[in-house]
């Protein structure tokens, strides 16, 4: 079903249907064509009685998937051609389908797992990380929002850790991601191929418990240094609902002998992020926590993502991070007179722009 040039390679391997992201030079960043290829492959494997489970993986050692192809999204936004909206719509439909798949889906992740790549993993029941994984939802650094169902997942993490991740965009290692509940276990990178081989030998009909037991049998313990050292400070500051109160709490920790340096670095990070994005993200996290389903959050995120195409912060953030790479965004939302759009306006339905549909 694929060749060397395909950006998604899908094939049967024993009892496994394998879906491999194959864009290593771009850190396996997703575009609309890849989303569509993944959806076709997923449906084929779910319908094939000879397939026991589905494996998601990324080509190369640098990244499982670094997110969406943000250059393509920005180009679409400027052209107003509807491709960006189609990308988000179909990506979110794919994520919901993965989350509710009738067969076990196993993500084998190594290297960068960020943005849209995190979305491919977070909602699954079998999420494997190697010790080299770096996880992040970095969208507040480009004038965007943590999407791909992140407002559903992050809002439910203990100790306000999800709000910390969403509002700072900071990366964390595999141990902290596992401790937080974003992955299930760590498989050392030098044993990942062996686990993969064992998974491909499973036969239909294989249940979730069998897959989980196989994975757990290969897992190693790994430390969670951020949560171990600063989890209490994160809970204290980010447990507050108001952004200004979070920043005040961090500032008040300045002289703390254990958490002072961390708190000041975190405060400085937030002060460099898009005010538009942080305010929107904080509102969406609150809505996500109150939501009963992933799908409700995905629809909300879709509308907010589309609204970002009308906000200057998004284009400035991508310019600074991806295009010019000067890492010095001049956020329009920091200018005097900026007014944060009302959330009701951001999330309003638009004629001619259908929401994601979660019927098969």
């Amino acid at each position: 079903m694929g060749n060397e040039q395909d950006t998604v390679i899908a094939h049967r391997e024993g009892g496994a249907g394998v879906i491999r992201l194959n864009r290593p030079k771009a850190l396996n960043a997703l575009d609309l064509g890849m989303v569509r290829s993944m959806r076709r492959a997923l449906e084929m494997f779910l319908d094939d009685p000879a397939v026991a489970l589905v494996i998601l993986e990324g080509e190369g050692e640098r990244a499982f998937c670094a997110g969406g192809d943000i250059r393509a999204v920005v180009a679409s936004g400027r052209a107003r051609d509807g491709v960006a909206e189609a990308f988000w719509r179909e990506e979110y439909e794919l994520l919901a389908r993965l989350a509710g798949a009738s067969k076990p889906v196993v993500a084998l992740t190594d290297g960068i797992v960020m943005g849209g790549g995190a979305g491919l993993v977070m909602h699954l029941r079998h999420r494997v990380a190697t010790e080299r994984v770096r996880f992040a939802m970095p969208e507040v650094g480009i004038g965007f929002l943590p999407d791909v169902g992140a407002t559903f997942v992050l809002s439910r993490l203990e100790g306000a850790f999800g709000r910390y991740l969403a509002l700072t965009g900071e990366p964390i290692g595999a141990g902290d991601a596992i401790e937080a509940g974003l992955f299930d276990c760590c498989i050392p990178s030098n044993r990942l191929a062996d686990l993969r081989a064992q998974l491909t030998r499973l036969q239909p009909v294989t249940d979730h418990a069998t897959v989980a037991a196989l994975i757990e049998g290969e897992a190693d313990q790994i430390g969670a240094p951020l949560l171990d050292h600063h989890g209490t400070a994160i809970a204290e500051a980010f447990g507050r609902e108001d952004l200004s109160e979070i920043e005040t709490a961090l500032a008040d920790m300045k002289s703390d002998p254990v958490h002072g340096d961390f708190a000041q670095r975190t405060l400085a990070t937030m002060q460099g992020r898009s005010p538009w994005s942080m305010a929107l993200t904080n509102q969406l996290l609150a809505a996500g926590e109150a939501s009963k389903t992933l799908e409700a959050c995905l629809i909300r995120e879709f509308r907010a993502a589309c609204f970002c195409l009308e906000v200057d912060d998004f284009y400035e953030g991508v310019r600074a991070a991806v295009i010019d790479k000067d890492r010095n965004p001049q956020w329009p939302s920091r200018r005097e007179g900026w007014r944060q759009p009302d959330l009701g306006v951001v999330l309003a339905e638009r004629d001619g722009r259908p929401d994601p549909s979660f019927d098969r």
Side-chain angles (χ1 to χ4, degrees):
M1 190 177 167
N3 59 58
E4 292 293 327
Q5 303 306 313
D6 289 338
T7 54
V8 172
I9 296 176
H11 64 282
R12 275 272 312 281
E13 204 168 321
V18 178
I19 301 176
R20 182 183 304 125
L21 306 179
N22 187 40
R23 215 181 159 198
K25 291 182 180 179
L27 302 180
N28 294 321
L30 300 171
D31 59 22
L32 181 56
M34 294 173 72
V35 167
R36 289 175 173 171
S37 293
M38 292 181 73
R39 181 64 186 265
R40 287 193 297 270
L42 178 64
E43 298 300 344
M44 178 181 70
F45 293 142
L46 294 180
D47 289 340
D48 187 343
V51 170
L53 75 159
V54 177
I55 294 174
L56 301 183
E57 61 187 10
E59 181 66 31
E61 296 183 351
R62 295 178 61 197
F64 167 73
C65 175
D69 186 339
I70 203 67
R71 288 177 180 267
V73 169
V74 164
S76 173
R78 293 194 184 284
R80 299 181 180 273
D81 58 11
V83 172
E85 292 91 335
F87 168 69
W88 288 319
R89 182 184 302 110
E90 296 184 37
E91 179 188 26
Y92 299 176
E93 291 169 350
L94 170 66
L95 300 182
R97 185 72 171 127
L98 284 165
S102 58
K103 296 179 181 179
V105 181
V106 182
L108 301 179
T109 70
D110 191 20
I112 296 169
V113 183
M114 296 185 181
L120 292 172
V121 178
M122 288 189 291
H123 313 296
L124 304 179
R125 291 178 61 174
H126 308 286
R127 305 162 300 176
V128 172
T130 74
E131 77 284 356
R132 299 187 295 206
V133 157
R134 296 292 288 171
F135 176 97
M137 294 301 296
E139 290 82 2
V140 292
I142 58 167
F144 194 55
L145 64 130
D147 63 333
V148 296
T151 62
F152 184 75
V153 173
L154 297 186
S155 63
R156 286 163 168 75
L157 300 189
E158 294 183 1
F161 195 50
R163 186 176 281 121
Y164 163 79
L165 293 173
L167 293 178
T168 66
E170 289 287 86
I172 57 173
D176 285 298
I178 292 167
E179 180 69 19
L182 294 164
F183 292 85
D184 299 298
C185 64
C186 178
I187 304 295
S189 53
N190 62 1
R191 298 214 305 266
L192 191 64
D194 181 60
L195 171 64
R196 184 183 184 282
Q198 293 183 61
L199 290 169
T200 64
R201 290 196 287 269
L202 292 175
Q203 297 298 314
V205 174
T206 296
D207 60 17
H208 286 286
T210 300
V211 174
L214 192 157
I215 294 171
E216 289 166 8
E218 296 294 324
D220 271 3
Q221 296 297 313
I222 186 171
L226 176 61
L227 285 169
D228 287 348
H229 294 148
H230 301 301
T232 56
I234 289 170
E236 167 64 20
F238 288 87
R240 301 157 191 260
E241 295 182 1
D242 186 80
L243 279 171
S244 63
E245 291 182 1
I246 293 172
E247 293 182 347
T248 297
L250 290 168
D252 289 346
M253 293 179 189
K254 182 176 182 179
S255 59
D256 187 292
V258 176
H259 305 301
D261 288 347
F262 167 76
Q264 295 313 296
R265 290 196 306 272
T266 302
L267 179 59
T269 294
M270 291 181 67
Q271 290 172 341
R273 302 312 193 199
S274 160
W276 142 256
S277 288
M278 288 194 299
L280 175 64
T281 295
N282 207 36
Q283 291 175 309
L284 292 175
L285 287 171
E289 186 175 13
S291 295
K292 294 182 179 180
T293 67
L294 167 63
E295 288 82 0
C297 292
L298 289 169
I299 289 173
R300 200 179 293 117
E301 292 168 3
F302 172 75
R303 296 179 185 179
C306 293
F307 193 89
C308 284
L309 298 175
E310 304 171 17
V311 177
D312 289 340
D313 271 36
F314 178 53
Y315 297 96
E316 172 60 12
V318 174
R319 178 206 65 76
V322 178
I323 298 173
D324 295 340
K325 299 183 180 179
D326 58 29
R327 309 293 178 187
N328 185 32
Q330 303 301 305
W331 301 117
S333 62
R334 285 208 182 276
R335 295 173 187 161
E336 186 175 353
W338 163 264
R339 294 184 62 183
Q340 185 77 8
D342 181 80
L343 187 62
V345 175
V346 174
L347 301 182
E349 290 187 71
R350 297 281 184 92
D351 290 339
R353 188 192 70 192
D355 288 332
S357 173
F358 303 111
D359 297 328
R360 178 172 174 181

